[in-house]
Amino acid sequence: MKTTTRVVVIGGGVVGCSVLYHLTKLGWSDVMLIERSDLTSGSTWHAAGGFHTLNGDTNMAALQGYTIRLYKELEEITGMSCGLHHVGGVTLADNKDRFDMLVAERAKHRFMGLETEIVGPEEIRALAPVTNIDGIIGALWDPLDGHLDPSGTTHAYAKAARMGGATIETHCMVRETNQRADGTWDVVTDKGTVHAEHVVNAGGLWAREVGAMAGIYFPLHPMEHQYIVTEEVPLIVQMMAEGKEHPHVMDPAGESYLRQEGRGLCIGFYEQPCRPWAVDGTSWSFGQDLLADDFDKIEDSITFAYKRFPDLERAGVKNVIHGPFTFAPDGNPLVGPVPGVRNYWSACGVMAGFSQGGGVGLMLAQWMIEGETERDTMAMDVARFGDWISPGYTLPKVIENYQRRFSVSYPNEELPAARPNRTTPMYEIFSDMGAVWGQQFGLEVVNYFAQGDEPTYETPSFRRSDAFGATGREVRGVREGVGINEVHNFGKYLIKGPKARAWLDRIMAGRVPQQGRLSLTPMLSPKGKLIGDFTVSCLSEEEFQLTASYGSQAFHMRWFLQHAEDGVSIENISDKRNGFQIAGPKSREVLAACTRADISDMRFMDVRRITVGQTDCIVQRVSYTADLGYEIYCDPMAQRQLWWTLWAAGQPHGMVPFGMRAMMSLRLDKFFGSWLSEFSPDYTAAETGLDRFISFKKNSDFIGRAAAEADRVQGPTRKLCAFEVDADDADVNAYEPIWLDGAVVGFCTSGGYSHWAGKSIAQGFLPVERIAEGLEVEIEILGSMRKARVITTPLFDADGARMRG
């Protein structure tokens, strides 16, 4: 066995073999996979082998499309069969919400190059005759859907990797992973020790145990999953005689997926009375094993399936496959460099291995070899969960996700499992004021405050929700007087030291402000993609506060620490510094009433240390509401005292509390972008307009400078625009296609309703040469073509007099 290698991949399932293959495909041949048993042991060998492109996250859907198209390439490279059956698939909708979701997904597919279509009941009957169409409104047809041979596909990945120079060691048990001082790893096995620069955890059912060897907790949990293969079905036999194969059928109402298997049918269930498996850890002795049959937990699912697919009831059971596979709390994989651990990579939690495994392997290989991926991977980035996550949180969220595998996913939905988990000192006070809570990165965040007969629960919807009235009331309260909300859902970082300014000049593309001032700046990847949208506040020559998206703090800290240097201290203070934002025309008067400091000369983008009431605070004059406003930061231990001070001073001015629903409406008035909507690693600064904050004059070779300068010279081919939309009862959410001259020319990044202007507003990308004030386009919202116009003048405070004055 080799004793040195560049990369050790631990785990020989479909994901581990895909990672190995993609590393060789991108040019690293000195790579090695170690598997304690045979390839496919674990979840891979007993998988149903289905694949599909449908995914609520657009980037995940695109990667699933890549995975499916890859299989023919593997067959050509290796001469091996993956057992491909490109039979297509229909996802059924039996109510309006399910149909809305499918129509919205179809619209997204238009600009992704996925050739799906919406079909009606009679088309469903023709495509999938095993289906009882009673009560079915329509379906999404995807010709790429199908199934394959799990073992053959995994071995094809493995052979392709070997052809590229990779080594595979089976029946080799990893005992320890120990990191050396230089960041490399000793992987200790029962056949000897391998010294590797990088370790990839593709441990599948054993990912938790493999991670624990390096002191890492992976938020994963295995769930029991069961599917049934029937005896011969006459309808299937008849189709085979006609040279046809029955397509897949996904029935969300019945929590099931169905496909042809030989001369019969295969049906699997995501049942509500589901069961977690190996709660306290996966036994090393478990391998190519199955669990005992358990028809009791799927009894209701089978009863429903007999009504949807009557042929099932007349067919005998040939096989029952009952085995475990792993989920992360949100159902997406955990991929990428593990924060805080050098050269340790995750390729875990890939629940849909034959839909996602190829995309996961490609992204991880790009990340390792090129330093970044070609598209936004936040939906599967291992850094999307922070160090606050625990097994006690993971288990109920995984159960919830399993139960919701085929549920409608609404843009405004807040899932209840494991909540509240993390709260600030304001939780009880805000709850008593009628707060309706959402969550971000495990933290409770107010969506809106219910007053009077306003709903205390926001009903999930693709259309304007029942929180519409409360949100409008809060928006008007801010614009006409003064509003207050918490700043806890900002990520905050303290950068200190004699080299802090020079370090920030290298990390950030924008200007680093002078003492007492703040600046806005993008943070770029080496290829010029956006990886952060920051406010930088200079508290002193050697002390800076950074603020950005709260949900990206593990992602951002990983980047900061990867580029750390002597003379600079980097601390995540996201939960160590809290406070409030006050905004609106009366906000200056409120703040002045709370402090002896003179704030009359405090300019827009100033930052000062001020005592507010009894509390020492950092106050900066800036507001995401696009209004006159202040962000006031303090020690969380003093936060309630600060609250009572500000609240009392605000009463004469009609102060109202407001939540994130109002905040996201207010920002539309000024066309402000939002992180992971308008600004993400999918886009460059020039495309989004953030290039206006890049300092090309500064004497610093900041990360991404060469790419940004090339963009500056060449100019982007697309740019972000704002649109006024003739909407009905539904506004833009994200990724709706934009039509011009009968063709899709762009897509939306986000949108909503401006309660202040009384207009539906969207943001999205158009080709640069077509952008013009008043350009008329159409935006497809829930299957309806809505007229829209490009607008360039902000809806509120167009000249900035109120925000800056």
Side-chain angles (χ1 to χ4, degrees):
M1 186 177 75
K2 290 175 61 174
T3 57
T4 61
T5 188
R6 192 168 199 171
V7 182
V8 165
V9 178
I10 302 174
V14 64
V15 175
C17 290
S18 171
V19 170
L20 194 72
Y21 162 65
H22 281 93
L23 287 171
T24 64
K25 183 178 182 179
L26 268 62
W28 282 10
S29 58
D30 182 18
V31 294
M32 181 179 187
L33 184 146
I34 298 177
E35 163 56 45
R36 68 181 185 86
S37 182
D38 294 306
L39 296 183
T40 78
S41 296
S43 296
T44 296
W45 78 273
H46 63 71
F51 52 79
H52 57 91
T53 58
L54 186 63
N55 190 295
D57 181 272
T58 304
N59 280 302
M60 289 301 300
L63 289 174
Q64 289 175 198
Y66 165 81
T67 300
I68 294 167
R69 295 185 181 102
L70 176 65
Y71 293 133
K72 288 186 178 179
E73 179 183 323
L74 281 177
E75 290 183 330
E76 292 170 0
I77 291 171
T78 64
M80 297 178 66
S81 171
C82 293
L84 290 175
H85 294 258
H86 273 291
V87 296
V90 289
T91 301
L92 306 175
D94 66 338
N95 61 41
K96 190 66 169 62
D97 280 358
R98 284 197 174 99
F99 190 68
D100 279 348
M101 182 180 77
L102 296 181
V103 169
E105 290 304 308
R106 168 64 188 109
K108 295 177 187 178
H109 295 165
R110 293 189 196 280
F111 65 86
M112 294 168 59
L114 298 175
E115 299 300 325
T116 58
E117 62 180 290
I118 298 295
V119 294
E122 291 307 315
E123 292 172 287
I124 297 168
R125 189 199 302 273
L127 287 166
V130 76
T131 309
N132 174 7
I133 61 173
D134 289 351
I136 298 297
I137 298 173
L140 181 75
W141 164 254
D142 188 344
L144 273 182
D145 280 11
H147 57 278
L148 45 65
D149 169 22
S151 178
T153 300
T154 304
H155 282 278
Y157 273 124
K159 182 176 179 180
R162 287 190 180 104
M163 291 170 68
T167 301
I168 296 176
E169 287 287 338
T170 58
H171 299 280
C172 183
M173 178 75 177
V174 174
R175 303 289 191 189
E176 302 174 20
T177 55
N178 302 315
Q179 191 165 38
R180 296 185 182 184
D182 64 357
T184 61
W185 292 85
D186 287 323
V187 180
V188 182
T189 79
D190 57 1
K191 292 184 177 180
T193 298
V194 181
H195 179 220
E197 182 180 350
H198 300 274
V199 169
V200 178
N201 182 347
L205 291 174
W206 297 268
R208 295 174 298 174
E209 287 69 32
V210 172
M213 294 178 187
I216 302 166
Y217 171 66
F218 285 93
L220 299 167
H221 203 90
M223 296 292 294
E224 298 180 4
H225 183 66
Q226 197 163 207
Y227 66 92
I228 296 168
V229 178
T230 75
E231 298 282 1
E232 186 175 284
V233 173
L235 176 60
I236 298 301
V237 174
Q238 178 184 337
M239 290 184 67
M240 292 177 70
E242 297 170 356
K244 300 176 184 177
E245 187 170 359
H246 199 282
H248 287 210
V249 184
M250 276 63 69
D251 181 22
E255 302 157 349
S256 70
Y257 57 89
L258 174 141
R259 66 169 175 82
Q260 180 177 333
E261 175 67 21
R263 298 165 71 87
L265 293 168
C266 168
I267 186 167
F269 305 100
Y270 286 88
E271 69 284 353
Q272 292 302 299
C274 59
R275 295 201 180 112
W277 182 79
V279 173
D280 296 315
T282 303
S283 170
W284 291 111
S285 63
F286 188 84
Q288 291 193 341
D289 304 302
L290 289 174
L291 309 178
D293 298 350
D294 188 351
F295 288 102
D296 289 345
K297 70 173 181 173
I298 59 172
E299 182 179 1
D300 291 344
S301 299
I302 291 174
T303 300
F304 192 98
Y306 284 165
K307 296 176 183 176
R308 181 72 74 218
F309 310 111
D311 291 84
L312 283 174
E313 192 169 11
R314 297 184 288 271
V317 174
K318 182 179 180 180
N319 291 312
V320 178
I321 295 86
H322 190 201
F325 64 114
T326 56
F327 278 84
D330 59 3
N332 277 341
L334 299 174
V335 180
V338 173
V341 187
R342 186 177 170 190
N343 293 346
Y344 195 104
W345 303 78
S346 175
C348 306
V350 189
M351 175 273 302
F354 292 98
S355 292
Q356 300 173 341
V360 166
L362 175 66
M363 292 299 100
L364 192 68
Q366 288 180 350
W367 221 328
M368 296 179 75
I369 296 171
E370 301 172 11
E372 59 185 286
T373 56
E374 68 185 54
R375 62 173 60 248
D376 177 10
T377 53
M378 184 59 76
M380 65 179 183
D381 192 335
V382 66
R384 71 185 184 277
F385 298 109
D387 56 12
W388 49 268
I389 202 165
S390 69
Y393 177 90
T394 298
L395 180 57
K397 294 305 287 187
V398 165
I399 291 172
E400 178 184 62
N401 188 272
Y402 184 98
Q403 292 172 328
R404 293 182 48 78
R405 180 76 175 91
F406 281 139
S407 296
V408 177
S409 181
Y410 298 95
N412 68 324
E413 189 167 27
E414 298 288 352
L415 301 179
R419 293 180 54 203
N421 184 43
R422 305 176 72 236
T423 62
T424 75
M426 293 303 298
Y427 184 77
E428 285 77 16
I429 292 174
F430 281 166
S431 292
D432 289 344
M433 297 177 73
V436 179
W437 296 95
Q439 71 84 33
Q440 184 184 22
F441 204 60
L443 179 69
E444 294 296 309
V445 178
V446 179
N447 281 337
Y448 67 95
F449 291 86
Q451 296 185 2
D453 60 356
E454 293 169 349
T456 57
Y457 169 77
E458 183 181 7
T459 305
S461 177
F462 288 101
R463 301 169 192 276
R464 291 174 187 161
S465 79
D466 48 7
F468 189 81
T471 302
R473 173 181 51 76
E474 291 177 6
V475 166
R476 289 186 292 274
V478 172
R479 289 283 187 252
E480 295 170 358
V482 59
I484 185 168
N485 75 348
E486 210 170 356
V487 292
H488 60 323
N489 60 330
F490 287 164
K492 311 171 196 80
Y493 313 91
L494 192 62
I495 312 298
K496 299 174 70 174
K499 295 183 179 179
R501 178 177 291 276
W503 183 81
L504 285 170
D505 258 329
R506 182 170 66 89
I507 296 296
M508 299 295 172
R511 179 181 55 82
V512 179
Q514 296 303 307
Q515 185 169 341
R517 296 287 288 168
L518 60 90
S519 65
L520 307 179
T521 173
M523 185 167 71
L524 305 180
S525 74
K527 294 181 180 179
K529 296 298 183 76
L530 292 169
I531 57 172
D533 169 31
F534 282 83
T535 298
V536 178
S537 305
C538 182
L539 306 178
S540 74
E541 267 306 302
E542 295 189 2
E543 182 178 2
F544 297 83
Q545 175 179 281
L546 313 184
T547 56
S549 166
Y550 186 85
S552 296
Q553 59 186 273
F555 171 87
H556 286 146
M557 276 299 293
R558 180 178 64 197
W559 185 256
F560 292 157
L561 294 177
Q562 284 173 350
H563 294 87
E565 59 185 55
D566 292 340
V568 182
S569 163
I570 305 165
E571 182 183 2
N572 182 356
I573 58 168
S574 297
D575 299 318
K576 296 179 181 179
R577 193 166 285 178
N578 207 340
F580 303 95
Q581 173 185 198
I582 58 173
K586 301 293 185 181
S587 57
R588 181 185 285 114
E589 295 170 54
V590 171
L591 181 59
C594 299
T595 180
R596 297 181 62 83
D598 181 8
I599 64 165
S600 62
D601 63 342
M602 193 170 183
R603 300 169 296 163
F604 181 62
M605 307 287 268
D606 273 358
V607 56
R608 296 180 184 176
R609 295 185 185 275
I610 296 174
T611 300
V612 181
Q614 299 173 199
T615 308
D616 289 335
C617 299
I618 294 170
V619 179
Q620 44 195 47
R621 195 181 147 192
V622 67
S623 174
Y624 192 54
T625 66
D627 213 318
L628 171 65
Y630 303 84
E631 293 172 356
I632 307 169
Y633 298 91
C634 69
D635 184 330
M637 293 293 288
Q639 189 180 3
R640 279 180 287 197
Q641 172 58 45
L642 178 61
W643 161 260
W644 292 120
T645 296
L646 293 168
W647 185 246
Q651 293 315 291
H653 303 287
M655 176 178 277
V656 299
F658 69 102
M660 287 305 298
R661 296 283 186 261
M663 177 77 87
M664 297 308 282
S665 174
L666 289 160
R667 62 110 183 177
L668 291 173
D669 294 346
K670 205 82 164 188
F671 313 148
F672 285 170
S674 175
W675 180 244
L676 295 185
S677 294
E678 284 68 46
F679 312 135
S680 90
D682 279 334
Y683 315 131
T684 68
E687 290 174 328
T688 60
L690 284 186
D691 55 337
R692 68 188 185 278
F693 297 118
I694 293 179
S695 178
F696 291 104
K697 295 181 179 179
K698 69 178 183 179
N699 186 25
S700 172
D701 186 20
F702 58 82
I703 296 170
R705 179 163 193 153
E709 287 181 333
D711 269 357
R712 189 185 187 195
V713 172
Q714 297 168 5
T717 59
R718 63 182 181 183
K719 289 208 73 169
L720 195 64
C721 305
F723 305 86
E724 181 182 337
V725 186
D726 292 343
D728 184 13
D729 63 343
D731 303 299
V732 159
N733 178 43
Y735 295 110
E736 292 84 352
I738 302 172
W739 294 76
L740 184 61
D741 300 331
V744 175
V745 295
F747 62 94
C748 296
T749 52
S750 75
Y753 189 77
S754 165
H755 287 270
W756 180 248
K759 297 177 179 180
S760 183
I761 301 299
Q763 296 190 72
F765 286 103
L766 281 181
V768 170
E769 68 274 9
R770 301 305 302 269
I771 298 172
E773 174 73 33
L775 175 71
E776 293 191 354
V777 299
E778 289 183 303
I779 297 177
E780 186 177 352
I781 303 176
L782 299 180
S784 176
M785 303 297 280
R786 312 303 303 186
K787 291 182 179 179
R789 292 160 299 284
V790 172
I791 54 176
T792 57
T793 302
L795 308 174
F796 168 79
D797 192 32
D799 61 359
R802 192 143 114 183
M803 183 174 68
R804 299 172 181 274

